Amino acid sequence: ASRGEQAMRSPLIIWLHGLGDTGRGWSHLKHELRLPQAVRYAFPDAPESPVTCNGGYVMTSWMDLETIPIGNGLPDDAKGLADSTQIIHALIDAEVAKGTASEDIVLGGFSQGGAMALLAGYSYAKRLAGVACLSGWPSLRVQLAERVGGGANAGTPLFIGHGTQDGVVLPECGKDAAERHTAAGVQVTFLDYPAAHGPHPAGMAALRSWALEALKLEDDE
């Protein structure tokens, strides 16, 4: 996109936090990604609900989780996933109604927020610019190939980053997400890095490059 075209656009990154966190906990993302000033960010808060793996304690959570660490055998909270998908789709709908093209929106998240970005992004009815998942996992796996491959975002690029020493969401989850979305026809950028359950400078640098391309932005650095 030319600089004139960039000035007319209003690209947006919607980022979903992890268990027990709030959107504010990820507000540093804009400083780490250092994307052009035109890019806006939204950091929504998950609803509060009892979480089984934490003894039923009520906290912000996009879904119920039975156990931690999370591996490929995680049972899905189908109702929680469906409810949160509706919330996230409504957030995107509201931005589109205000004039942001859906193709100018990246949906991303960390941990269970990354899991939600995969599910809500690839089930959204309009084409998005991209989906990003850090330290997350694929949910509702049985329907994944059909949901992704048959949806409006079958051609939407995906970034997956995962720490090789992650003891909360096991590294197998990131690899499984990458393999399943690749098999469904998605263009996947997968990066693992020497980190536990959290962001890593190499992951952030790769996410920045990927986001510039997904949002068709010129690097202004």
Side-chain angles (χ1 to χ4, degrees):
S2 71
R3 294 211 176 274
E5 285 172 328
Q6 281 191 195
M8 296 293 291
R9 294 168 57 211
S10 184
L12 173 68
I13 294 177
I14 300 173
W15 194 264
L16 309 173
H17 65 75
L19 176 65
D21 201 358
T22 63
R24 187 178 296 175
W26 274 90
S27 59
H28 60 84
L29 186 69
K30 63 184 78 172
H31 307 297
E32 293 196 46
L33 292 183
R34 304 185 321 280
L35 293 170
Q37 283 188 333
V39 178
R40 296 177 300 122
Y41 295 81
F43 301 102
D45 293 340
E48 294 194 346
S49 57
V51 178
T52 301
C53 68
N54 286 342
Y57 191 78
V58 173
M59 60 183 66
T60 52
S61 190
W62 297 107
M63 68 199 72
D64 190 24
L65 296 171
E66 289 193 11
T67 56
I68 287 179
I70 290 160
N72 283 341
L74 174 78
D76 289 314
D77 169 23
K79 184 180 187 309
L81 290 165
D83 290 349
S84 288
T85 296
Q86 276 195 313
I87 291 169
I88 296 157
H89 285 177
L91 284 171
I92 302 172
D93 289 343
E95 292 293 340
V96 171
K98 285 188 280 186
T100 301
S102 65
E103 295 95 336
D104 276 339
I105 297 174
V106 163
L107 179 64
F110 169 73
S111 194
Q112 61 159 253
M116 281 312 313
L118 291 175
L119 180 60
Y122 285 101
S123 60
Y124 190 62
K126 294 175 182 166
R127 174 78 185 259
L128 300 171
V131 176
C133 173
L134 296 185
S135 311
W137 65 89
S139 52
L140 303 176
R141 291 172 172 83
V142 173
Q143 303 96 354
L144 188 147
E146 184 182 347
R147 178 173 68 243
V148 175
N153 284 284
T156 298
L158 171 60
F159 180 90
I160 295 177
H162 213 107
T164 54
Q165 282 114 46
D166 195 332
V168 178
V169 180
L170 302 181
E172 66 188 40
C173 294
K175 289 180 179 164
D176 188 43
E179 288 168 5
R180 286 177 183 272
H181 285 81
T182 298
V186 174
Q187 182 187 343
V188 178
T189 300
F190 175 73
L191 182 71
D192 56 12
Y193 32 80
H197 192 59
H200 182 272
M204 284 293 150
L207 179 59
R208 179 180 189 274
S209 298
W210 174 88
L212 283 167
E213 190 174 331
L215 288 166
K216 299 180 174 62
L217 295 171
E218 286 181 20
D219 192 349
D220 60 5
E221 288 197 353

